[in-house]
């Protein structure tokens, strides 16, 4: 299926000429005389190009282009605008509106067909030179030129013959070559041809020198492949300026390069001159050579055109009214987008100062005006050829750098992978050793604890019998000795038990026996264990339990062990006769248990060591107090097994607070199966609520208090109580409605608490409701 081209022009001759040429080139053309007929073809799926005149009978082609860019299907189709060459404003507007090409009338039909097949984009240029090879058989002139180049900062190499120069160029790869045209053996033109035919050296800039000043010599030099030409009679500052301009294009660019464009593809030249006569003649000459010529009659027009479309080379008049050629050149070379475009300064002035000014402003070459355009066209071809070589050279160089970087990255990645695989093997071996050591330690501790417990139980048992007087009365000294034996045996047994528990936790073999248990029972059990210690130091332990604390899904023996460790430490490190507090409260979804003493306290620097195994804080006040350093470490691990956390705050000389927190969780089926009958109490009278809870617990029920509507709803979802007891005045109606609206709580029986009724009456009603629910 042929690609389609939409040709929109009000001239029948232009329309048919374009359509015929495009169809011969393999396109299917749709010629249209106005915009209205063109719009009917925009949905054509094969549409590949729009050739659009700027001036049409029913509207502006530029306005139509803006509409086209917003079209749902044709918005991305390339557009080539047609207009007279002098219509700079339309060209600029068209390119800014989104045109891909702009062709001035009268056009070259071959160029339009070529652009219809492919729209070329010109790449940018290469890197700065630092070394120059001078080839000349005149020792005097060569040494004088070498002196001038060295003074200008170049590193200069010398050769007296063409053969010697080629060998030196191959060995050193200079950044530029300056060669005399007439040499013994092979001449300068042959040297340049051999350099440009070499794959490595063909991108080296070449300058041909000659003793004559004829135009034929310059043409011969440029056609041989030279990038520049100068007569030996010219002053050295002109030579240096031209060489600097030639090497300026060698600057490296940071952006990646596309492949160089072929010299056979159409090239666009921007010609800027204030003389219409010269500009038209120049345009005609260049169009005959196959160039697409963009004409501008001032520096301002030239900059505007350059900003709207890419060009391959710029011809710039030096002397112009308004913005001069020197200033125009400077602005072009200061722009990142245009500074690498080769620029040839053209002037009718035979003035050395003017030539230097133009080249110093950034021009790449300088040509005198004249009726003979052959020199100018040769210089133009030389600049385009040089640009192509530089682009290809840079592309190859950057491709090599890219490949080298990829290889280095692959090598680094491979080395990293190898290092990681060694490291992983080491970690695996270390893990296996650690597991083996842990298993050995667990077996050792288990065996040792068994072997130690058996004789310890005998020591402790018989010591207790002796203390109790079962074997007869003991003397005072005998009683003291036996008491010491009993105390030491109990301490050793506690140490063995703690070590065994720690080893089980570390090995992951300590299993919690969890169930629903009231926290108050756990705290009371811990107080009972601590009573002998309290009596021995004349101390007291007060328990404060928030009635809102619900039943907890815990291992009661392990939590009691934690509480007892906190309390026993508080007893040991508090003065005789002091009071110790044990508080439990429900705070933001967590139950917090705190053991508060008024003892010696702990320094802030010592706090991080408290929960580490075998760490004991020995300060002046605590010196001589017995301990193993295992109790707090074990307590932390037991709490963490429950999903909780431990904490401590302390002030030296004032006391310490050890605490742990357990989160309330949603009730699972396993937990619900072990949950005893629970009563959730909600009433404004806190004292009555506590009294009712104590009575219900005496009846074998578990009871907890909800502090407000939100708390009651949360506890009802969590505990699924058998009964909810609600007193008057406690947002009763709101609470009843909220419970009834939720499927998980809607079926829970509600018992109303009557003001003034005895606790026993309420207890009986609640007990009956709970029994019926079961």
């Amino acid at each position: 299926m042929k690609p389609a081209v939409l040709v929109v022009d009000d001239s029948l001759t232009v329309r048919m000429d374009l359509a015929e040429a495009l169809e011969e080139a393999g396109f299917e053309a749709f010629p249209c005389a106005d915009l209205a007929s063109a719009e009917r073809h925009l949905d054509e799926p094969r549409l590949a190009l729009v050739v659009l005149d700027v001036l049409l009978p029913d509207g502006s082609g530029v306005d139509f282009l803006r509409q086209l860019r917003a079209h749902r299907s044709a918005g991305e189709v390339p557009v080539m605008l047609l207009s007279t060459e002098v219509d700079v404003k339309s060209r600029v507007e068209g390119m800014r509106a989104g045109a891909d090409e702009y062709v001035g009338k009268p056009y070259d039909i071959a160029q339009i067909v070529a652009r219809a097949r492919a729209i070329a984009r010109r790449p940018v240029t290469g890197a700065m030179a630092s070394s120059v090879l001078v080839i000349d058989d005149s020792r005097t002139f060569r040494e004088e030129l070498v002196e001038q180049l060295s003074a200008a900062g170049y590193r200069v190499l010398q050769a007296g013959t063409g053969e010697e120069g080629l060998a030196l160029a191959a060995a050193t790869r200079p950044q530029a070559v300056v060669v005399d045209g007439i040499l013994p053996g092979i001449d300068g033109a042959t040297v340049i041809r051999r350099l440009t035919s070499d794959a490595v050296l063909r991108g080296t800039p070449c300058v041909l020198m000659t003793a004559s000043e004829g135009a034929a010599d310059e043409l011969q030099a440029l056609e041989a492949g030279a990038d520049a030409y100068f007569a030996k009679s010219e002053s050295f500052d002109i030579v240096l300026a031209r060489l600097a301009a030639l090497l300026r294009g060698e600057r490296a660019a940071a952006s990646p390069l596309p492949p160089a464009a072929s010299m056979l593809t159409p090239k666009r030249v921007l010609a800027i001159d204030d003389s219409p006569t010269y500009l038209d003649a120049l345009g005609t000459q260049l169009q005959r050579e196959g160039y697409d010529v963009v004409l501008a009659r001032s520096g301002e027009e030239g900059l505007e055109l350059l900003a709207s479309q890419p060009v391959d080379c710029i011809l710039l008049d030096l002397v112009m009214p308004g913005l001069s050629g020197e200033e125009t050149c400077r602005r072009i070379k200061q722009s990142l987008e245009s500074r690498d475009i080769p620029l040839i300064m053209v002037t009718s002035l035979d003035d050395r100062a003017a030539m230097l000014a133009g080249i110093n402003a950034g021009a790449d070459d300088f040509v005198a005006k004249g009726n003979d355009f052959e020199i100018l066209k040769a210089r133009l071809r030389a600049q385009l050829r040089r640009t192509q070589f530089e682009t290809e050279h840079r592309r190859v160089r950057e491709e090599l750098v890219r490949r080298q970087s990829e290889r280095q990255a692959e090598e680094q990645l491979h080395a990293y992978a190898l290092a990681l695989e060694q490291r992983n093997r080491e970690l695996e071996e270390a893990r296996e050793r650690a597991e083996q050591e842990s298993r050995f330690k667990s077996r050792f501790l288990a065996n040792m604890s068994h072997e130690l417990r058996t004789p310890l139980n005998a020591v402790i048992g018989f010591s207790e019998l002796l203390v109790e007087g079962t074997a007869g009365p003991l003397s005072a000294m005998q009683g003291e000795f036996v008491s010491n034996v009993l105390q030491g045996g109990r301490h050793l047994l506690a140490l063995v038990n703690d070590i065994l528990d720690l080893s089980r936790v570390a090995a992951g073999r300590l299993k919690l026996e969890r169930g629903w248990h009231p926290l108050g029972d756990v705290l009371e059990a811990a107080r009972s264990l601590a009573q002998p210690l309290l009596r021995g130091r004349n101390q007291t332990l007060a328990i404060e339990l928030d009635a809102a604390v619900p039943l907890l899904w815990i291992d009661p023996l392990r939590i009691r062990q934690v509480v007892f460790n906190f309390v026993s430490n508080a007893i040991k490190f508090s003065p005789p006769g002091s009071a110790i507090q044990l508080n439990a409260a429900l705070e933001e979804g967590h139950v917090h248990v705190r053991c508060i003493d008024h003892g010696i306290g702990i320094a802030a620097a010592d706090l991080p060591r408290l929960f580490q195994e075998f760490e004991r804080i020995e300060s002046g006040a605590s010196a001589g107090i017995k301990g193993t350093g295992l109790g707090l470490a074990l307590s932390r691990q037991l709490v963490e097994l429950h999903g909780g956390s431990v904490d401590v705050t302390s002030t030296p000389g004032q006391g310490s607070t050890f605490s742990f927190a357990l989160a309330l969780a949603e009730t699972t089926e396993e937990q619900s199966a072990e949950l005893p009958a629970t009563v959730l109490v909600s009433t404004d009278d806190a004292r009555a609520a506590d009294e009712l809870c104590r009575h219900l617990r005496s009846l074998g029920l578990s009871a907890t208090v909800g502090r407000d509507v939100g708390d009651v709803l949360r506890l009802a979802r969590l505990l699924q109580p058998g009964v909810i007891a609600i007193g008057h005045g406690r947002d009763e109606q709101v609470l009843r409605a909220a419970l009834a609206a939720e499927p998980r709580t809607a079926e829970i029986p509600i018992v109303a608490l009557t003001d003034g009724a005895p606790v026993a009456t309420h207890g009986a009603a609640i007990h009956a409701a709970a029994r019926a629910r079961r």
Side-chain angles (χ1 to χ4, degrees), residues 162-163 179-193 208 220:
E163 292 84 353
V179 56
D180 189 13
I182 300 175
L183 294 168
I186 60 174
D187 61 5
T190 303
V191 170
I192 292 174
R193 290 192 186 95
L208 188 68
Q220 182 181 2

Side-chain angles (χ1 to χ4, degrees), residues 625-703:
I625 299 179
K626 296 181 179 180
T628 63
L630 294 177
L632 291 178
L634 179 59
S635 297
R636 184 197 63 181
Q637 297 196 24
L638 292 176
V639 170
E640 290 177 351
L641 283 176
H642 282 82
S645 60
V646 297
D647 192 20
V648 60
T649 59
S650 185
T651 303
Q654 297 183 19
S656 305
T657 298
F658 285 81
S659 63
F660 65 89
L662 300 176
L664 299 180
E666 292 293 331
T667 308
T668 65
E669 293 184 3
E670 175 192 3
Q671 295 167 345
S672 298
E674 299 189 20
L675 184 61
T678 303
V679 179
L680 181 56
V681 178
S682 175
T683 180
D684 289 334
D685 190 340
R687 180 178 297 180
D690 288 342
E691 185 178 357
L692 177 59
C693 287
R694 284 195 297 271
H695 179 70
L696 292 174
R697 291 181 185 126
S698 69
L699 298 177
L701 299 174
S702 172

Side-chain angles (χ1 to χ4, degrees), residues 240-318:
L240 293 174
R242 182 161 288 174
L243 181 61
L246 182 64
L247 294 177
R248 192 179 295 125
E250 286 290 286
R251 293 182 183 136
S255 58
L257 294 172
S262 170
M263 288 291 293
L264 299 178
T265 58
K267 304 296 181 182
R268 177 177 291 138
V269 179
L270 172 60
I272 308 173
D273 200 294
D274 64 316
S275 170
T277 304
Y278 180 79
L279 197 60
D280 291 342
L282 176 62
T284 301
Q285 288 288 332
L286 295 178
Q287 286 173 352
R288 289 175 181 173
E289 296 287 327
Y291 296 105
D292 174 28
V293 185
V294 181
L295 303 179
R297 287 168 171 74
S298 68
E300 292 83 357
E301 275 191 8
L303 292 175
E304 196 172 11
L305 287 168
L306 186 60
S308 65
Q309 61 185 318
V311 300
D312 298 291
C313 190
I314 301 171
L315 302 178
L316 176 62
D317 189 14
L318 177 61

Side-chain angles (χ1 to χ4, degrees), residues 678-758:
T678 303
V679 179
L680 181 56
V681 178
S682 175
T683 180
D684 289 334
D685 190 340
R687 180 178 297 180
D690 288 342
E691 185 178 357
L692 177 59
C693 287
R694 284 195 297 271
H695 179 70
L696 292 174
R697 291 181 185 126
S698 69
L699 298 177
L701 299 174
S702 172
T704 189
V705 177
R707 292 171 294 183
D708 51 38
V709 173
D711 196 38
V712 172
L713 289 174
R714 183 184 62 79
L715 291 172
R717 297 188 200 102
L718 174 68
L719 301 178
Q720 290 291 291
V723 178
I724 299 178
I726 303 177
H728 291 294
R730 188 64 183 273
D731 297 322
E732 179 182 359
Q733 299 303 321
V734 175
L735 182 55
R736 286 176 178 269
L739 291 169
E742 188 166 337
R744 294 186 63 186
T745 59
E747 302 298 325
I748 300 176
I750 296 176
V751 173
L753 300 177
T754 306
D755 292 340

Side-chain angles (χ1 to χ4, degrees), residues 159-225:
T161 65
E163 292 84 353
E164 181 185 357
L166 287 173
L168 190 57
T172 62
R173 298 186 184 182
Q175 278 69 52
V177 175
V178 180
V179 56
D180 189 13
I182 300 175
L183 294 168
I186 60 174
D187 61 5
T190 303
V191 170
I192 292 174
R193 290 192 186 95
R194 292 190 181 180
L195 287 173
T196 55
S197 64
D198 186 273
V200 175
L201 300 173
R202 65 180 184 179
T204 307
C206 295
V207 180
L208 188 68
M209 304 180 293
T210 181
S212 64
E213 299 181 4
D217 291 330
E218 182 174 359
L219 285 174
Q220 182 181 2
L222 295 173
E223 291 297 336

Side-chain angles (χ1 to χ4, degrees), residues 597-617:
D597 67 54
H598 303 283
I600 61 177
I602 306 166
D606 294 327
L607 293 178
R609 299 165 48 201
L610 283 175
F611 295 98
Q612 298 180 16
E613 298 174 8
F614 298 103
E615 283 283 351
R616 295 193 67 247
I617 309 302

Side-chain angles (χ1 to χ4, degrees), residues 557-596:
L557 295 180
R558 294 303 180 180
I559 295 299
R560 184 191 67 186
Q561 188 175 357
V562 173
V563 175
F564 177 74
N565 278 333
F566 286 2
V567 170
S568 62
N569 279 338
I571 294 171
K572 284 192 294 184
F573 294 99
S574 297
S578 61
I580 300 169
Q581 296 171 285
L582 195 58
N583 298 336
L586 183 63
E587 301 171 4
E588 299 180 352
H590 289 74
V591 175
H592 291 264
V593 178
R594 298 179 178 90
C595 181
I596 307 168

